[in-house]
Every structure is written in C-alpha cells, then in structure tokens.
Amino acid sequence: MWTTTSLWFEIAVVSIIYALGNILLGHFEERTPKVRRVGKYLLTLVMVCGISVMFGRSVAMIFLSAFILPLVYIHGYFLPKKKGINGWTGEPKAKYYEYRKWDKDIFSK
C-alpha cells in the first residue's frame, strides 16, 4: 500500500526537519534575509536528493544526520560556554546580535 521508493520521502524528511528547526530555533535567524533562509533549505534539499539518487537513501540519511553534530556543538557548547549566550533561547539578545554583527536597535528600520 505505502511505498517510500520515490524522492518524496527525502523531500518530506528534509521539510519536516526545517519546519521543526524554524519553529524551535527560528529566533536565531530572525534577521537573516528570507532569500538566504529559503536558499539554505533548497540547497539542503537538492544535496540530499542528489546523494540519494547517486549513492542511495541510506547514505543520504547519514549525510543529513551528520548535521546534528554541528547543531549540538554550536547550541550546546560554543554559544553558552564561549560566548555567554543561551543556546536554546539566544539570550541575552544584545550579545547574540553583537555576535552575529546585527544592529541592536531593532526599531531603527
């Protein structure tokens, strides 16, 4: 009845990951241009689907799973320990904005 032999499976997995990422950690990208955010999603989608076609679904899912390591490192160690920024909430915002080199005056534009 259900088959997962098409690339729609990879598209669904990548889309779910990005949806959850935007819901839970989207505040870290609040001032990133929309074009860059969409581009990152499309690039990831093309890479995962391309790897799946060329090397198989298992390799593509391992590749996608490898992105968990930088996520855990950045949000679990680097931001809290090295920069003094909460890796879950991005607070204090002034420090996070300074780290990202964003304008701290959010009402200026």
Side-chain angles (χ1 to χ4, degrees), residues 15-84:
S15 298
I16 289 169
I17 290 170
Y18 267 83
L20 289 174
N22 280 321
I23 291 168
L24 299 174
L25 299 171
H27 54 275
F28 285 100
E29 296 288 325
E30 64 190 15
R31 301 192 93 194
T32 303
K34 304 287 188 239
V35 172
R36 184 174 175 170
R37 293 171 70 179
V38 171
K40 187 167 63 169
Y41 164 71
L42 291 175
L43 178 64
T44 305
L45 191 62
V46 167
M47 287 172 57
V48 169
C49 288
I51 291 171
S52 182
V53 166
M54 293 193 307
F55 303 108
R57 179 170 289 155
S58 298
V59 176
M61 292 299 118
I62 290 169
F63 171 77
L64 190 59
S65 299
F67 284 106
I68 292 173
L69 297 174
L71 176 95
V72 170
Y73 173 75
I74 291 168
H75 290 277
Y77 175 74
F78 181 75
L79 287 176
K81 303 291 185 202
K82 299 290 186 180
K83 298 296 177 183

